[in-house]
Amino acid sequence: MIYSVHGTLLAKELSLAVVECGGVGYACRTTFTTLSQLGNVGETVFLYTALSVREDAVELFGFATKQELQCFRLLTTVSGVGPKAALAILSDLPPDRFLLTVAAGDSKQLTRSKGIGVKTAQRIVMELKDKIAGESIGLLSGDMAAAASVTAASGGGNAGEAIEALVTLGYTQAEVAPVVAKLDPSLSSSEMIRRTLQEFGKKRS
């Protein structure tokens, strides 16, 4: 198993990064998220890797962070989700956002990724929601971990009512949960809604 590659970036193309290590160029399939974090061709880069061996192909996948690698591995454990689909999802959703989307049960968000249909998205949520909840301390960081806790308890309490109301207004749980998680839990649901909308207003201005 190739754990990682560390060397010179020879090429950076759509969903592909080529890294030269010891005179050998390793072609790593990757996400837009990782590509955006890599430097320019000729610079030194580091990628965590996963090797996929199938009857018809041997492919190496590279990721800028260990968290993204873990998300890729989680996705490929889901029945019917291969490396290509996993890369498509993680290209649209950075690791924290992907984990929170699944924790929120927001399968609709997943269908926005190329090649992910409704049934596949629902299967991802069904098979990974409990796993992510059990591993959230290790996989989710900072505010996202707190948001996952709020999301998990969104069936009741003021925070849950605020999240449900905001979703009704057209926001996704993955968008609003991190904001609600930062608020004082003693606030009323209406005040949580007001402050969350105010926060979104600041980001748009």
Side-chain angles (χ1 to χ4, degrees), residues 104-179:
D106 190 0
S107 60
K108 185 177 180 181
Q109 175 69 34
L110 298 176
T111 62
R112 296 176 184 176
S113 297
K114 185 178 180 181
I116 306 300
V118 174
K119 289 184 178 179
T120 299
Q122 291 174 341
R123 192 182 310 120
I124 290 170
V125 169
M126 182 180 68
E127 294 189 22
L128 297 185
K129 190 173 183 179
D130 289 342
K131 289 183 180 180
I132 288 173
E135 300 176 17
S136 61
I137 294 177
L139 292 177
L140 282 164
S141 60
D143 294 333
M144 288 295 186
S149 297
V150 171
T151 299
S154 62
N158 292 343
E161 290 177 8
I163 289 174
E164 288 180 9
L166 289 162
V167 168
T168 301
L169 291 175
Y171 296 96
T172 66
Q173 284 185 311
E175 288 175 323
V176 300
V179 180

Side-chain angles (χ1 to χ4, degrees), residues 164-202:
E164 288 180 9
L166 289 162
V167 168
T168 301
L169 291 175
Y171 296 96
T172 66
Q173 284 185 311
E175 288 175 323
V176 300
V179 180
V180 174
K182 296 179 183 179
L183 301 176
D184 184 341
S186 66
L187 293 173
S188 65
S189 58
S190 60
E191 180 62 15
M192 287 183 173
I193 293 168
R194 187 187 72 78
R195 294 193 184 190
T196 300
L197 291 174
Q198 187 177 51
E199 185 64 25
F200 282 128
K202 289 179 182 177

Side-chain angles (χ1 to χ4, degrees), residues 24-144:
V24 179
Y26 293 89
C28 302
R29 297 290 175 186
T30 190
T31 66
F32 295 151
T33 303
T34 284
L35 285 173
S36 68
Q37 295 178 49
L38 295 180
N40 298 317
V41 170
E43 295 183 350
T44 299
V45 297
F46 177 92
L47 294 175
Y48 291 99
T49 58
L51 183 66
S52 173
V53 180
R54 304 194 307 272
E55 289 185 4
D56 59 342
V58 177
E59 292 183 299
L60 190 64
F61 299 88
F63 306 94
T65 66
K66 188 175 290 187
Q67 187 190 43
E68 191 176 31
L69 170 63
Q70 290 173 310
C71 289
F72 174 80
R73 286 176 171 165
L74 273 175
L75 275 165
T76 54
T77 65
V78 177
S79 175
V81 178
K84 185 177 180 180
L87 290 183
I89 291 172
L90 293 174
S91 286
D92 292 331
L93 298 170
D96 272 348
R97 186 65 64 182
F98 161 69
L99 293 166
L100 187 55
T101 294
V102 175
D106 190 0
S107 60
K108 185 177 180 181
Q109 175 69 34
L110 298 176
T111 62
R112 296 176 184 176
S113 297
K114 185 178 180 181
I116 306 300
V118 174
K119 289 184 178 179
T120 299
Q122 291 174 341
R123 192 182 310 120
I124 290 170
V125 169
M126 182 180 68
E127 294 189 22
L128 297 185
K129 190 173 183 179
D130 289 342
K131 289 183 180 180
I132 288 173
E135 300 176 17
S136 61
I137 294 177
L139 292 177
L140 282 164
S141 60
D143 294 333
M144 288 295 186

